[in-house]
Amino acid sequence: MSSMALFSKLQEEFASVWNLLNDTSTALARAKLFQEFENDLRVWRAQLQQHRQDTQVTDEVRRKIKDLRAFLRQQGVELILGQKDIVTRGWRHDDAEREGFRRCVLFIQPKEVFWISGSENHGALKDALGSKLKLQDLNAWPGVHSLWFRWVNKTLEFSGADSEPASSWAEFQKLVEQKKNFLIKRLQNIR
């Protein structure tokens, strides 16, 4: 193997482990577990930076990260979603479609999120979701949100709609901060 090919392979391995470490850090932060593992993450990051061309160190750090990830999976932490994010950004009106937004209605419950999206108005979407769930007057249930959404790369961006009361929007924003992993997992296929 030429020295250039070897150098390229070392760079690829380093980048792979570095990305795995970053994804793990992001997932831990979202699960509110970052402080618990912050020391380990810092040590691994320093080891990678100091020995970036030492395959033994790179392999050892990769093994430690994989062990941590296996442990976290056993604890129920969703690590695969570390690359995705969910954010809330202001209010949108009907012209949001020109910016790539779509309408949706979410029905957020403690262990599940039911949703519907489409081009119909939020009232029609809410009726359709209520019918699908066999629920009369979905407005009477807590946890119902009429929103605009779009994917920007791996970030799911939500904005309040005119039919979303300010108090409900504030509640949704708080949920996003408190339950990012839960919401990303349940909404990763929304289109």
Side-chain angles (χ1 to χ4, degrees):
M1 181 179 291
S2 73
S3 61
M4 190 60 141
L6 178 62
F7 180 72
S8 179
K9 183 170 174 21
L10 288 173
Q11 281 186 316
E12 285 176 26
E13 287 180 23
F14 173 82
S16 170
V17 175
W18 190 261
N19 288 337
L20 186 63
L21 181 59
N22 285 339
D23 287 349
T24 304
S25 298
T26 301
L28 286 169
R30 287 199 186 123
K32 310 281 192 252
L33 296 170
F34 184 80
Q35 286 183 326
E36 189 175 332
F37 298 97
E38 184 176 8
N39 239 13
D40 293 325
L41 298 168
R42 187 178 293 129
V43 167
W44 298 337
R45 196 171 301 279
Q47 287 174 339
L48 286 174
Q49 287 174 328
Q50 291 169 2
H51 307 280
R52 69 184 310 140
Q53 293 185 14
D54 185 335
T55 57
Q56 232 177 329
V57 172
T58 304
D59 289 345
E60 179 66 17
V61 171
R62 181 191 315 271
R63 186 190 58 72
K64 288 177 180 176
I65 296 169
K66 285 185 173 184
D67 289 348
L68 172 61
R69 292 173 70 91
F71 168 76
L72 292 168
R73 270 190 222 92
Q74 289 175 343
Q75 305 303 310
V77 177
E78 292 291 334
L79 294 164
I80 194 72
L81 303 173
Q83 300 169 358
K84 295 184 179 178
D85 197 8
I86 182 171
V87 296
T88 56
R89 295 215 168 98
W91 294 84
R92 303 273 177 218
H93 306 286
D94 287 345
D95 61 349
E97 288 176 296
R98 282 182 271 166
E99 297 174 45
F101 284 89
R102 296 195 68 208
R103 288 180 180 92
C104 70
V105 173
L106 308 181
F107 181 33
I108 303 172
Q109 295 299 290
K111 295 189 186 234
E112 190 56 72
V113 177
F114 303 97
W115 57 270
I116 192 168
S117 64
S119 57
E120 298 87 357
N121 68 46
H122 284 100
L125 289 173
K126 198 177 288 184
D127 290 345
L129 182 60
S131 176
K132 181 178 168 183
L133 297 173
K134 297 180 176 41
L135 295 174
Q136 297 288 326
D137 189 19
L138 200 55
N139 285 324
W141 292 81
V144 176
H145 300 277
S146 297
L147 306 165
W148 290 97
F149 80 95
R150 70 178 175 183
W151 283 98
V152 179
N153 296 320
K154 293 183 180 184
T155 300
L156 179 56
E157 184 179 314
F158 281 103
S159 293
D162 290 338
S163 53
E164 177 78 354
S167 60
S168 186
W169 174 242
E171 174 190 314
F172 179 73
Q173 289 177 300
K174 190 184 294 184
L175 270 173
V176 167
E177 288 307 310
Q178 294 172 347
K179 298 184 169 194
K180 273 191 186 245
N181 275 351
F182 168 74
L183 291 171
I184 290 170
K185 181 178 181 182
R186 296 302 190 270
L187 296 169
Q188 63 183 316
N189 295 320
I190 193 170
R191 299 282 183 263

